[in-house]
Amino acid sequence: MSKHTSWQNQVKSFLQLGLEQSSFYGLYQFGLKSGQIARQTPIHAIQPENDNPVDFPWKNPERQELSGILRENDKDLRSEADEILHGQFRCFGGPLKPILLRPAVIPPEHWTVTTVESLQQDIKWFWEPARFGWAFSLARAYTCFGEEKYVQFFWEKLEEFIAFNPANGGPNWASAQEVAIRLTAVAFAAGVFRESPSSTPARMGLLRAFIRAHADRIPVTLNYSRAQNNNHLLTEAAGLWTAAVLMRGDPAARRWNALGQANFNRAILKQVALDGSYAQYSNNYHRVLLHCALWIYGLYQGKQIPGKIFTAPALTRLEAAVRYLLVQTDSGGAVPNYGHNDGANILPLAQTDYADFRPTLQAAARIYLNNDPFPAGPWEETCLWLGCKPPVQG
């Protein structure tokens, strides 16, 4: 590319992005090229912290409640969880893939020097198993069947990840969004497993250190996410919020909470239009937006909604976002495959098909619209996990 063409592209980018987003991107690039970001995120081992316990404020469902919703679908859940015990998961809702958590280069290089070329394949194949999305299935299976093997496998894999992916080392730390998604998935599973004998004090101390390492990674590159102005910022804000809730009382928790809350509410206003349409023009990413809002609600089980969590303007946009997606959804939960669809499903809390939007929309409609758009069914499992109560009549 000639210097002239490069200059032209920079001007076009500035005109399209505007001053604010261009400034955020410029600050990020300066931090990256100057080495400041690398200095702020040194590689270090994740060592257990046993001074304070992790605080899980939500209530887990009873086995009878979950079994009542799953009904005959419990067989599918057991089959899925047992596949995971054999080291495989449904990647992007498709065929089975191995749960690989070790980077190609050991010991890993700093995440700032990780390149797609050095990985020799699409980085998403490294990221997806390390998102720990499969841990949702293990947690649900443990609640339904009460078998310790699901808990033990989770902890063994988490210990493996920590051993081979030191904080800020390798591709699994290259994206703050991936860091945030992994943090929320691990937090959910560990919260479900917290009373298990396999969740030893040593492992819970390791979890605390894991949470801190992830929460410390996210703020360093928030300028990049602000520049993108898409679901990266929403997921990262939700990740910071998660760390603040689970480590309430920690000196860093107040800062994480402030960053998470401010950036999430601001992002909703910038990314969701008054009619509820989403900035990324994708029904799949629209669901990711709602997943982030649902997860934050679930952290509190609705106890502080709406006043102390989402601002009134942000709540209005979230209500519109639910209505917008509902209009496009048929009675079977299908939506037009509109826009980018990379297989993202960051809150898989129901035994339904990946393309079924009813679990997300039934929960979101209950919270934001006080309405059940669909009849009772297995898609209501998401409501059970998040503490979404049935609509109040009258």
Side-chain angles (χ1 to χ4, degrees):
M1 181 183 294
S2 68
K3 291 184 178 179
H4 180 66
T5 303
S6 176
W7 179 84
Q8 285 182 319
N9 288 339
Q10 290 177 19
V11 171
K12 288 179 181 178
S13 297
F14 177 82
L15 293 174
Q16 290 182 7
L17 293 175
L19 177 61
E20 184 181 50
Q21 285 177 251
S22 296
S23 298
F24 282 137
Y25 186 71
L27 288 170
Y28 166 72
Q29 285 295 330
F30 174 79
L32 200 62
K33 293 178 179 179
S34 68
Q36 178 185 5
I37 287 177
R39 290 189 293 272
Q40 289 178 292
T41 57
I43 296 178
H44 64 88
I46 298 175
Q47 302 288 353
E49 298 180 9
N50 295 313
D51 48 347
N52 290 301
V54 177
D55 179 17
F56 299 102
W58 62 83
K59 178 181 179 294
N60 291 323
E62 298 293 334
R63 184 176 303 173
Q64 295 81 358
E65 295 177 296
L66 181 56
S67 297
I69 287 179
L70 281 170
R71 299 181 184 275
E72 65 276 4
N73 288 337
D74 64 352
K75 298 182 182 63
D76 293 334
L77 175 58
R78 181 183 286 278
S79 176
E80 183 177 318
D82 287 346
E83 287 174 346
I84 293 169
L85 292 184
H86 286 90
Q88 296 182 306
F89 76 117
R90 298 283 172 181
C91 192
F92 305 113
L96 288 170
K97 295 289 183 181
I99 300 174
L100 300 177
L101 301 178
R102 305 183 186 192
V105 178
I106 299 175
E109 300 176 301
H110 192 272
W111 69 263
T112 56
V113 298
T114 297
T115 63
V116 175
E117 290 77 15
S118 67
L119 298 175
Q120 298 182 346
Q121 61 175 306
D122 194 326
I123 197 170
K124 70 180 182 180
W125 297 110
F126 287 89
W127 283 348
E128 192 66 16
R131 283 185 170 189
F132 276 73
W134 43 266
F136 285 95
S137 298
L138 294 181
R140 294 166 54 234
Y142 175 69
T143 302
C144 189
F145 308 118
E147 297 178 24
E148 200 66 19
K149 61 184 180 180
Y150 300 122
V151 189
Q152 187 62 27
F153 184 88
F154 164 77
W155 283 114
E156 288 173 357
K157 284 299 178 183
L158 184 61
E159 289 165 341
E160 178 185 344
F161 177 87
I162 290 171
F164 289 94
N165 297 267
N168 304 312
N172 286 321
W173 295 88
S175 166
Q177 180 180 46
E178 296 301 314
V179 168
I181 291 172
R182 178 167 57 249
L183 170 58
T184 55
V186 168
F188 173 82
V192 173
F193 298 147
R194 60 185 183 259
E195 300 298 332
S196 161
S198 296
S199 300
T200 63
R203 281 172 164 167
M204 297 305 280
L206 191 61
L207 173 69
R208 184 177 175 86
F210 173 93
I211 293 171
R212 183 184 305 282
H214 283 64
D216 284 344
R217 165 66 183 86
I218 296 170
V220 180
T221 52
L222 273 176
N223 280 331
Y224 176 74
S225 301
R226 291 169 180 145
Q228 286 193 307
N229 193 38
N230 59 16
N231 61 44
H232 278 244
L233 186 55
L234 293 172
T235 52
E236 291 169 32
L240 287 167
W241 220 326
T242 302
V245 170
L246 268 61
M247 295 178 64
R248 197 187 315 269
D250 188 274
R254 182 173 294 183
R255 179 173 63 92
W256 295 335
N257 183 78
L259 277 173
Q261 192 166 357
N263 279 284
F264 191 89
N265 280 288
R266 190 181 301 119
I268 289 296
L269 295 181
K270 290 181 69 67
Q271 296 181 27
V272 180
L274 290 172
D275 66 357
S277 57
Y278 186 47
Q280 287 190 268
Y281 306 119
S282 162
N283 281 335
N284 182 245
Y285 290 165
H286 197 129
R287 180 169 65 175
V288 171
L289 145 74
L290 294 180
H291 278 172
C292 292
L294 288 173
W295 170 252
I296 293 169
Y297 176 94
L299 283 173
Y300 298 90
Q301 298 279 289
K303 292 176 183 175
Q304 299 184 52
I305 298 287
K308 295 183 180 180
I309 296 181
F310 301 131
T311 63
L315 273 171
T316 299
R317 299 295 177 92
L318 286 170
E319 292 167 4
V322 177
R323 291 193 179 95
Y324 185 91
L325 199 54
L326 271 173
V327 169
Q328 301 181 64
T329 309
D330 66 22
S331 60
V335 301
N337 191 23
Y338 166 67
H340 292 290
N341 186 350
D342 62 0
N345 184 17
I346 64 172
L347 202 62
L349 287 174
Q351 203 60 34
T352 56
D353 186 75
Y354 153 78
D356 190 341
F357 276 49
R358 285 174 295 182
T360 302
L361 288 171
Q362 188 84 326
R366 279 191 180 183
I367 295 169
Y368 301 110
L369 306 180
N370 189 37
N371 178 33
D372 269 356
F374 305 103
W379 42 87
E380 289 190 305
E381 185 186 346
T382 300
C383 297
L384 179 65
W385 284 106
L386 300 178
C388 309
K389 305 301 181 184
V392 178
Q393 303 299 323

